[in-house]
Amino acid sequence: MATIRDVAKKAGVSVATVSRALNDKGYVHEDTRKLINKAIQELNYKPNEVARSLYKKKSRLIGLLLPDIRNPFFPELARGVEDTMQEHGFRLIIGNADENPAKELDYIHTFKQNNVIGLISATNQTETSYYESLGFPVVFLDRTSRQHPSVYADGLAGGKMAAQEIVKRGSKRITLLKGPMELKTAQDRFKGAIDELCHSNVNFNVMTTASFTFDDAEKTAQELFDKFPETDGVIAGNDLGAAAILHEALRRGISIPDELQIIGYDDIPLSSLLFPPLSTIRQPAYDMGKEAAKLLIAIINNELIEQKNIQLPVTFIDRQTTRKVEDNG
Amino acid sequence: MATIRDVAKKAGVSVATVSRALNDKGYVHEDTRKLINKAIQELNYKPNEVARSLYKKKSRLIGLLLPDIRNPFFPELARGVEDTMQEHGFRLIIGNADENPAKELDYIHTFKQNNVIGLISATNQTETSYYESLGFPVVFLDRTSRQHPSVYADGLAGGKMAAQEIVKRGSKRITLLKGPMELKTAQDRFKGAIDELCHSNVNFNVMTTASFTFDDAEKTAQELFDKFPETDGVIAGNDLGAAAILHEALRRGISIPDELQIIGYDDIPLSSLLFPPLSTIRQPAYDMGKEAAKLLIAIINNELIEQKNIQLPVTFIDRQTTRKVEDNG
């Protein structure tokens, strides 16, 4: 790999001159600059970005912090962020906090110490001091925050929509799963659903779930049918949870959607591949990722930001774990 | 955040002395060292790792390059790598190459320019020049390479096992899906399966698939039933593909496993949640990740490596998309 010395030699100038040209500092004659650029191209020289970022205090590196890469919702978010960052010439490195605050803090340090110029975080500690005085902008994704800009989907409307659709389709004894309460997005969708259920003429149970992870989903599914065997409609906290419930119901010989309706949340790619395909509330994960990336780029470029908190709409995806409206009992 | 200047001031020494103590270079009196350490602790000072890595030419940063984070197999691999790296005090940043050689190359540059001290790569270009003269060790994961150490599962045995199990359970007209041929691991499992089928008294078709991605899986599934409607057994290239085929078969009213048996490959977490749960060849993804991390750490620490290519065994997971052996027709 070519070094700055090779470039200087080829251009017939000093290393200091090449450095001035590269960093746009100090005077470099236009002809000299041309010689240097020619040498850079011929040698395919790539300046060491760490050294340059120390000098110029600026890299093109962005950090993305995900809470759990095993939940397929987050890779979808990441793809939206990635594609947009790449279009704009930024580079993205990803950290997986694994729903663990210590890992989250450790990644924030790693990103900081490697001179990222911005961070998109979809983890759980949005209100902690972790995100204060980092020296670079932070945008929260699929999360809200009092201090920082954020991009998220409308959880209140999503929860309400899930409850409306399942009630409209005839469930009378509904179990509502309540996701982790430290997440405002989970709170919102729970609040939206429970408001709607309270105003409907149905019985319902609330069951808490410790997390949105895969490991907890299977336990929760078994518990649900043991505790609430009379349930004829489930509003799940996310699609992973809904998939586990669907699986457990079929294993117990419960007919879907005739005896039990299930509505998920997220619309992960595999939801359409389940059998029966999962009805769910779709969060536009890829678009959320894109919007968060665009917002962060605008902040980095010191553009005027009109809207610091961007809420995207959700939609009901009517597949086959819910009945048709006219079929309801 | 505290700087090296704050530490020097608090300890009553010069910045140069703190720097010598931090980097173990030159003489620092034991008492002075104690004062400095006390100041570091009281101020919760964290040395800037980029500056240190430039100085010491050593960071604790490891890069992990995945081909497609949307395929749940790779997040499992990543978790194994992550947990092991964390136990050993290394930090991991992840790049998603998205099965795109240009992105792969770009990530390699990003990692290099941010001074990673090692790279684990699970992407597709193992034989290209991308991985030459990087200046840090590379271990391939779920991939093999002529020049570099690698950790992978036994594809030849896995392919053979899939064919044996489906034949033993009575399929007579088998469709074998052939994954991307640039991957030695995909070649191996294809070769293992076809050898076994050639030695069996069954008819079979081979159908090529462009990639292991989700988008291709659904197309392939539809094509399969259009082209080979007489198929009574499918050996899929991976679980994502198998899930798509299972879904399409049920949509067409084909009874699983009575009329059609399906065997996947990987055993991703969602395979047990499908209905019927997917029979598959299990690759020990998490353990593969752990082994790759251990191998890379050993290389970084200049330990004597006895085995540079580690092959892990695969197992048949007998779920419900295959019949019981005694049931076969």
Side-chain angles (χ1 to χ4, degrees):
Chain A
M1 218 171 192
T3 66
I4 192 167
R5 266 169 237 287
D6 301 329
V7 173
K9 201 173 162 194
K10 187 157 197 109
V13 301
S14 71
V15 169
T17 307
V18 178
S19 175
R20 282 205 306 281
L22 280 175
N23 294 295
D24 280 327
K25 292 249 174 172
Y27 174 75
V28 181
H29 192 281
E30 199 45 43
D31 292 348
T32 312
R33 196 180 290 276
K34 277 182 194 158
L35 282 174
I36 292 169
N37 284 338
K38 196 161 160 266
I40 285 173
Q41 275 171 25
E42 285 176 17
L43 295 167
N44 192 26
Y45 169 66
K46 289 182 195 295
N48 182 304
E49 298 241 326
V50 171
R52 294 193 71 199
S53 67
L54 275 179
Y55 184 75
K56 298 182 69 181
K57 290 276 173 222
K58 199 151 187 200
S59 73
R60 299 288 283 176
L61 198 65
I62 305 287
L64 171 64
L65 197 44
L66 300 177
D68 178 14
I69 52 171
R70 298 210 293 174
N71 179 343
F73 178 70
F74 296 107
E76 283 295 306
L77 282 180
R79 283 296 320 286
V81 174
E82 260 181 344
D83 287 355
T84 306
M85 286 299 174
Q86 212 186 19
E87 275 165 32
H88 290 81
F90 293 93
R91 287 160 163 186
L92 188 74
I93 49 176
I94 303 172
N96 176 35
D98 203 22
E99 303 216 343
N100 176 336
K103 281 196 191 177
E104 178 170 350
L105 186 58
D106 200 53
Y107 266 118
I108 294 168
H109 280 135
T110 301
F111 289 155
K112 187 177 169 73
Q113 289 176 334
N114 286 282
N115 293 334
V116 300
I117 54 168
L119 171 62
I120 296 179
S121 176
T123 58
N124 301 355
Q125 316 297 320
T126 61
E127 301 300 343
T128 65
S129 61
Y130 295 3
Y131 293 94
E132 298 317 308
S133 48
L134 284 176
F136 50 78
V138 178
V139 168
F140 284 101
L141 173 54
D142 186 40
R143 299 292 182 259
T144 57
S145 154
R146 271 181 225 122
Q147 299 92 342
H148 295 281
S150 58
V151 176
Y152 53 93
D154 189 350
L156 218 53
K160 187 182 169 73
M161 198 182 280
Q164 275 176 335
E165 296 295 341
I166 208 163
V167 168
K168 210 199 296 183
R169 285 163 172 76
S171 288
K172 297 282 186 204
R173 295 172 306 278
I174 293 168
T175 297
L176 170 61
L177 292 174
K178 181 178 166 184
M181 280 298 103
E182 65 272 24
L183 292 186
K184 174 119 189 326
T185 47
Q187 280 176 40
D188 278 353
R189 68 181 84 154
F190 176 70
K191 193 170 174 304
I194 207 152
D195 280 358
E196 183 66 26
L197 290 179
C198 288
H199 289 95
S200 306
N201 186 24
V202 296
N203 296 328
F204 64 93
N205 314 300
V206 172
M207 203 176 131
T208 55
T209 53
S211 79
F212 277 151
T213 64
F214 193 84
D215 293 339
D216 283 327
E218 291 192 284
K219 272 178 261 163
T220 302
Q222 288 175 22
E223 233 181 277
L224 188 152
F225 292 106
D226 291 343
K227 278 198 186 158
F228 308 115
E230 75 290 1
T231 296
D232 70 353
V234 175
I235 301 172
N238 67 358
D239 279 2
L240 268 194
I245 290 159
L246 174 57
H247 179 79
E248 182 64 19
L250 293 172
R251 208 184 62 79
R252 293 180 185 228
I254 298 167
S255 156
I256 310 283
D258 298 338
E259 297 175 82
L260 177 74
Q261 300 193 96
I262 303 173
I263 292 191
Y265 207 97
D266 288 344
D267 196 26
I268 58 177
L270 278 156
S271 297
S272 63
L273 284 188
L274 294 173
F275 200 86
L278 185 68
S279 298
T280 189
I281 305 298
R282 180 167 198 276
Q283 298 201 77
Y286 184 84
D287 290 340
M288 288 162 69
K290 278 189 98 77
E291 287 301 324
K294 283 196 254 170
L295 186 56
L296 183 61
I297 292 169
I299 295 168
I300 288 169
N301 292 339
N302 288 316
E303 288 167 22
L304 186 70
I305 313 293
E306 289 188 3
Q307 191 145 8
K308 292 215 167 189
N309 294 290
I310 299 174
Q311 179 177 279
L312 297 184
V314 297
T315 41
F316 174 57
I317 305 293
D318 190 2
R319 297 203 185 95
Q320 295 169 37
T321 57
T322 45
R323 300 189 282 270
K324 297 301 143 205
V325 176
E326 58 276 18
D327 294 352
N328 82 54
Chain B
M1 219 173 189
T3 68
I4 192 165
R5 267 168 235 287
D6 301 328
V7 173
K9 201 172 164 195
K10 186 156 198 111
V13 300
S14 72
V15 168
T17 307
V18 178
S19 174
R20 283 205 304 281
L22 281 175
N23 293 296
D24 279 327
K25 293 247 174 171
Y27 174 76
V28 180
H29 191 283
E30 198 46 42
D31 291 347
T32 312
R33 197 179 290 277
K34 277 181 193 158
L35 282 174
I36 292 169
N37 284 338
K38 195 160 160 266
I40 286 173
Q41 275 172 27
E42 286 177 15
L43 293 168
N44 192 25
Y45 169 67
K46 291 185 195 294
N48 182 303
E49 298 241 326
V50 171
R52 294 192 72 199
S53 69
L54 275 179
Y55 183 75
K56 297 183 72 182
K57 288 278 172 218
K58 204 154 184 196
S59 73
R60 301 287 282 174
L61 199 65
I62 304 288
L64 171 63
L65 196 43
L66 300 177
D68 179 14
I69 50 171
R70 296 208 295 173
N71 179 343
F73 179 69
F74 295 108
E76 282 296 306
L77 282 181
R79 284 296 319 285
V81 174
E82 259 182 346
D83 286 354
T84 306
M85 285 300 173
Q86 211 186 19
E87 275 165 32
H88 290 79
F90 293 93
R91 287 161 165 187
L92 188 73
I93 49 177
I94 303 172
N96 176 36
D98 204 23
E99 302 215 343
N100 177 335
K103 281 196 189 176
E104 180 171 349
L105 186 59
D106 199 54
Y107 267 118
I108 294 168
H109 280 136
T110 301
F111 289 156
K112 190 177 167 74
Q113 289 175 332
N114 286 281
N115 293 334
V116 300
I117 55 167
L119 170 62
I120 295 179
S121 176
T123 58
N124 301 355
Q125 316 296 321
T126 63
E127 303 300 342
T128 64
S129 62
Y130 294 3
Y131 294 95
E132 298 317 308
S133 49
L134 283 176
F136 50 77
V138 179
V139 168
F140 283 102
L141 173 55
D142 186 41
R143 300 290 182 261
T144 57
S145 154
R146 274 183 223 121
Q147 299 93 339
H148 295 282
S150 59
V151 176
Y152 53 94
D154 188 349
L156 218 52
K160 188 182 170 71
M161 198 181 280
Q164 275 177 335
E165 297 294 342
I166 208 162
V167 169
K168 210 197 301 183
R169 286 165 172 73
S171 288
K172 298 283 185 203
R173 297 171 304 278
I174 294 168
T175 297
L176 171 60
L177 294 174
K178 183 177 164 185
M181 280 298 104
E182 66 272 24
L183 291 185
K184 174 119 190 326
T185 47
Q187 281 176 38
D188 278 353
R189 68 181 82 154
F190 177 70
K191 194 170 175 305
I194 207 151
D195 280 358
E196 183 65 26
L197 290 179
C198 287
H199 290 94
S200 306
N201 186 25
V202 295
N203 297 328
F204 64 93
N205 315 301
V206 170
M207 202 177 134
T208 54
T209 53
S211 80
F212 278 150
T213 63
F214 193 83
D215 292 339
D216 283 326
E218 291 193 284
K219 273 179 259 163
T220 303
Q222 288 174 20
E223 233 182 278
L224 188 151
F225 293 105
D226 291 343
K227 277 197 187 160
F228 308 114
E230 75 290 2
T231 296
D232 70 353
V234 174
I235 301 173
N238 67 358
D239 279 2
L240 268 195
I245 289 159
L246 174 58
H247 179 79
E248 182 64 20
L250 293 172
R251 209 185 60 79
R252 291 180 186 230
I254 299 168
S255 156
I256 309 284
D258 298 338
E259 296 174 81
L260 177 75
Q261 300 192 96
I262 303 172
I263 291 191
Y265 208 97
D266 288 344
D267 196 26
I268 57 177
L270 277 156
S271 297
S272 64
L273 285 188
L274 294 173
F275 200 84
L278 185 68
S279 298
T280 189
I281 305 297
R282 179 169 198 276
Q283 298 202 76
Y286 184 84
D287 290 340
M288 289 162 69
K290 278 188 98 78
E291 288 302 324
K294 283 197 253 172
L295 186 56
L296 183 60
I297 292 169
I299 294 167
I300 288 170
N301 292 338
N302 288 315
E303 289 167 22
L304 186 72
I305 313 293
E306 290 188 3
Q307 192 146 6
K308 292 216 168 187
N309 294 288
I310 299 174
Q311 180 178 277
L312 297 185
V314 296
T315 40
F316 174 57
I317 304 294
D318 190 2
R319 295 201 186 98
Q320 294 169 39
T321 57
T322 46
R323 300 189 283 269
K324 296 303 143 204
V325 176
E326 59 275 20
D327 294 352
N328 82 54

